[in-house]
Every structure is written in C-alpha cells, then in structure tokens.
Amino acid sequence: MAGMTDQRRLVLASASPARLSLLRQAGFAPEAIVSGVDEDALSAPTPAELALVLAEAKAATVAARPAVAGALVIGCDSVLELDGEALGKPADSEEATARWKSMRGRAGILQTGHSVIDTATGRTVSATASTVVRFGEPTDAEIAGYVASGEPLHVAGAFTLDGRSAPFIDSIEGDHGNVIGLSLPLLRRLLGELGLSVTDLWV
C-alpha cells in the first residue's frame, strides 16, 4: 500500500498490451489511455528522431487532458530502422511479406522513443533507446505462415520478440524490453531526471 506516501498515478499513453505488460511485470500499476495521435501526420529527419517525435506527441496529447492532472504520463513509439528508413506497422499482408523477405538474414535497429511528462510540474523529459535486431532466415513458407497469423500487421517492424516471430530472431544487441516496446532502464533514467525513483512508483 502507498499509505502516506501518496502513490503517484501512472498513465501509459499507448494502446500497446506489450508495454502495459512490461510495466506491470516491473512493479508498476499503469493505466492505459490511448492518445489518438495521427502518426502518419508526423515526420522527422531520421528514424530515431521520428520515434521520439511520435512518443512526445502521444505523451503531450494525453497529458493535456484534464482527467490526468497530477499524473505521470509515459508516451512511447517504436519504429524499425532498416537501410536508413523508418518502418512502422505494415499496411497489409503483402507489405508484411515483402518486409520479412527483405529483413531476413540482416540486422535492423529498433528505435523506441520515450517521453515522460510530470503533469504536476509540467516538466517533460525524452530520449530514444536503440537495440540492434539480427533476423534469422525463415523460409518463404514460414514467412507466409507468420503473416497469415495476423501478428505482424499490428506491430512496428512487422515482428515481435515475445510472440510468434521469436524463432525468426537470431539475436539482439541492447535492451530486450526496448524491442518489446519500452526500455525500463531508460525509463528509470528519465524518471531520475524528474527527481523520481522507480521504487517510489512500485505498488
């Protein structure tokens, strides 16, 4: 129980079940509020900057709502950087199939932007975490089976580290949580910049 310490309310500005699960497993009790930000309307010079711009937009949109006054708002967004391009969710099965055929046997960088807003003080801190992902070489039949599952259509880069495509990921270099959608070590550092400790937010 928080008791007299007055537990801070934690709001995740995301519809991602994976991000919500990561936070819960780490001892937090976030509530999810979807931002509704039009991701296609935003742009940036590099994939890392795009991930950050999207994360900041999501956090700011939710933080501006009167219902979250006093809460800590976390916004995240992920893109896969391959050949200098930012790849988000594929538009359809054909794009997901082509994406996987281009990724196999190669490495990409999963960029996840993080933005934390303390609505009690109005302060915002943001940063991007980067993790190298080395893809295996699934066969055409395996790719077809994976795309048919529907999973790659709902996730940045058309893959997950904790789902059906896990057997097709040979290795990663960096924080695994970042690939799933949220870097807990980076979140800890950002909270520190706001004068907060992760342990203060555990439930």
Side-chain angles (χ1 to χ4, degrees):
M1 296 293 290
M4 297 299 291
T5 58
D6 189 24
Q7 184 75 40
R8 289 297 302 272
R9 184 178 169 206
L10 200 61
V11 173
L12 177 65
S14 172
S16 165
R19 290 190 183 111
L20 200 60
S21 178
L22 276 170
L23 287 169
R24 285 178 174 156
Q25 289 167 12
F28 304 103
E31 55 188 286
I33 298 179
V34 181
S35 67
V37 166
D38 180 5
E39 297 181 22
D40 295 330
L42 299 169
S43 62
T46 68
E49 290 171 281
L50 177 61
L52 194 63
V53 164
L54 290 167
E56 289 174 339
K58 288 181 176 182
T61 300
V62 171
R65 297 176 186 171
V68 300
L72 284 167
V73 178
I74 302 171
C76 295
D77 200 87
S78 302
V79 298
L80 176 69
E81 180 176 344
L82 194 70
D83 297 328
E85 280 189 61
L87 305 175
K89 296 171 187 171
D92 51 34
S93 296
E94 289 72 23
E95 186 178 328
T97 301
R99 176 99 49 96
W100 261 99
K101 287 181 177 178
S102 71
M103 295 189 308
R104 63 182 166 190
R106 302 181 62 205
I109 304 171
L110 203 288
Q111 308 277 13
T112 300
H114 296 64
S115 182
V116 183
I117 299 175
D118 186 345
T119 63
T121 64
R123 289 187 63 203
T124 301
V125 289
S126 306
T128 299
S130 308
T131 304
V132 175
V133 181
R134 292 186 177 83
F135 298 99
E137 300 197 26
T139 63
D140 286 358
E142 286 173 327
I143 290 173
Y146 178 52
V147 172
S149 78
E151 183 184 89
L153 300 178
H154 306 291
V155 288
F159 76 96
T160 63
L161 193 60
D162 58 343
R164 292 176 188 263
S165 63
F168 310 141
I169 310 295
D170 279 357
S171 65
I172 67 165
E173 188 179 310
D175 175 18
H176 80 282
N178 191 54
V179 183
I180 296 170
L182 187 148
S183 169
L184 290 164
L186 177 55
L187 176 62
R188 174 182 166 270
R189 291 194 292 275
L190 292 175
L191 289 171
E193 289 180 34
L194 293 172
L196 300 164
S197 168
V198 289
T199 59
D200 296 334
L201 300 173
W202 285 345
V203 292

